[in-house]
Amino acid sequence: MSKKFYITTPIYYVNARPHIGHAYTTIACDTIARRQRLLGADTFFLTGTDEHGQKIERAAAAAGKTPQQYADEISSEFRQLWKRMKISNDDFIRTTEERHIKRTQELFRRIRDNGFIYKGTYTGQYCVSDELYVDGAQPGDPCPTCGRITETVHEENYFFKLSAFQDKLLELYANPDFIRPETRRNEVASFVQSGLRDLSITRSTFSWGIPVPDDPKQVIYVWFDALANYLTAIGYGSSHSGAQEAFRKYWPADVQMIGKEIVRFHCVYWPAFLMAAGLPLPNAIVAHGWLLFEESKMSKSRGNIVRTETILDVLGADALRYFLLREVVFGQDGSFSFDALVQRYNSDLANGLGNLASRTLTMINRYFNGEVPYSSHSGKPADDAIAQAAHRTIREFRTLFDQFQFSRALEYAWTLVAAVDKYIVENEPWALGEKKDEDSRSRLATVLYTAAEALRIATALAHPVMPEATANIWEQLGLGDIQKLALGELAWGQLPQGTKLGQIQPVFPRADKSAVERMQTMEDQQRVAPAADVVAAPAQTPAVAPTPGPATSEKISIDDFAKVELRVGLVKVAERVPKSDKLLRLEIDIGSEVRQVLAGIAEAYAPETLVGRKVVIVANLAPRKLRGMESNGMIVAASLDGGKPVLAGFLEDVPVGARLK
Ligand code: ME8
């Protein structure tokens, strides 16, 4: 019986379209899953979308859609994108699916029956963006994770007895393999050591969630619902025997990959829920770092995302997959830039593996009629050195990969590519090809065999990372379907003499300079214009929406105007920004949430005169950072000649959150 292997990504919130941060986690898991399949493991790779909760409910309302419509659209974008990226997931779970809803209720029931759920009253702060209870925070305090202002929640809820699991969790962390890397394990352990409070696991003030069994006025807390996906997708709680069997086969998960910001949910709440349900725990929770763009975490709320489609259109899926795993040291944060992407693509793929393939195969075509030649195994040190390097690479690649050190594993494999390139240059097969004597011919055969065999090994190792291009090289090598490769048995010398090469074609055409520009332009066109520039540059008239003079303004269509979401906001907090004459920090209630906005109006308005005032806010402006603080929207004002802004307001009373059209 083959070994089983169950691997999961987090399920992605459907409040945001997929970007390359999401792609990063998915690619890492896909690569592991593909490798496991080639090693013969019965592999199950799960991903999906997280579709309930207040955050999604609000995002849908802002888009004028029902939560289900909204979730349907974005979830489908994730699925389409994963297809284009050659993600080989075995299932895609959506938390709004009936199977998930029923089975999550079953998990809730089981934990309640086991005595770990009780009714109580929760009063405290909540961050909707992170769907996180912020212990110890006061009204008006920001969320420690995202910096947004928390909201006060006062509800009768069901609580989970998290405090009962403190010692058991600490015992669990003693196993160094459970949380990786170690820095994350230490963080989690010290969080748990400082004491655990019971966790509210239901909500009653909104309805977009899974109803609590026997108490449908409450919905299950979105994180309980989301974490349960790892069980429900493989059949937990089902009455069907097939599903039950799948669950018995695959659970516990072997690797659960997550981003570092959701470690607490996966390493504290998740094992505690499982222990409470009497279920086995996953073998490893592996946390990676963030993909940064323009120096901060790539995320929709910061407005600094890079869309995966842009890279797929210009360089293709393999390029992105390789770049992310090669460039980012797994576990640490890594910066993304188009320049680095194109540079890496050209150096490692176009000039590296691609060039090795095309020069080796072209010469075999030319000199040996497209058949892999016989190697005389001359035992020359140069030939042996390549065979030895290949042998070492197979071994090291495996070790590094199993430790999730993708970047080092690929670096290692590419030293083999570089060594073969050097070997080819030094042995000058093109010169040998010109000579007709037997020694030269035999030497040429050995050199080209050695190059082709090293190419085969590098291609096999890189296959889980770049499935398309390597499948292509494999066929060009005349080896057929790469999926049939038994990776565990990969060794030097397996390339059969006489193998007839396939059709030779370039796999990684060189990218020219315009590739960077093209990608940048595609992305710029997607972004909302940063109209808050006047605030970012306090030397100019600070503040607020600039009012262009009528003579210079271009006409726009009603559709253009409709893109700007203007809303009535109520100023809750106003204060000066330290060391700035012009900026005020405002907290503005826009009905669906409280926003922090930085406005350059300090010279015109004393902060205390603004609290309680209704203002007009551009609610869908991409957030920006000013003086290290996030400004999430812009208030609208007339800009007078003397430079003093005058805030827009209303003569009649208007409800907070109303949209201006
Ligand atoms: O947290 N860099 O969903 P999510 C690297 N629904 N990885 C990033 C990233 C970035 N800039 N941005 C996102 C959730 N990710 C919950 C999970 S699981 C039961 C519920 C990756 O859509 C990262 O792995 O906000 C993160 O954990 C994941 O996307 C999901 O983010």
Side-chain angles (χ1 to χ4, degrees), residues 9-16 19-26 48-51 55-56 78 95 129-130 222-230 256-263 265-266 270 288-293 296-300 302 304-305 333-334:
T9 72
I11 48 171
Y12 301 100
Y13 281 130
V14 289
N15 70 318
H19 56 70
I20 62 168
H22 304 119
Y24 178 56
T25 322
T26 320
T49 41
D50 187 355
E51 305 186 3
K55 163 160 144 159
I56 309 299
F78 272 96
T95 54
S129 178
D130 289 312
V222 63
W223 268 102
F224 183 99
D225 163 352
L227 289 161
N229 94 85
Y230 303 130
Q256 300 211 264
M257 181 86 74
I258 55 168
K260 66 178 182 182
E261 79 285 9
I262 51 174
V263 162
F265 299 102
H266 283 82
W270 179 225
H288 62 70
W290 288 337
L291 216 54
L292 312 179
F293 191 60
S296 53
K297 182 192 177 204
M298 192 177 289
S299 72
K300 179 195 167 183
R302 285 184 183 81
N304 64 341
I305 60 159
D333 293 349

Side-chain angles (χ1 to χ4, degrees), residues 623-637:
R624 356 193 44 214
K625 275 219 164 145
L626 299 168
R627 308 255 163 165
M629 283 181 285
E630 191 169 273
S631 182
N632 214 327
M634 178 172 65
I635 51 173
V636 176

Side-chain angles (χ1 to χ4, degrees), residues 88-99:
S88 64
N89 50 302
D90 295 285
D91 197 356
F92 186 101
I93 184 142
R94 301 184 54 191
T95 54
T96 51
E97 283 174 75
E98 198 54 30
R99 60 168 173 162

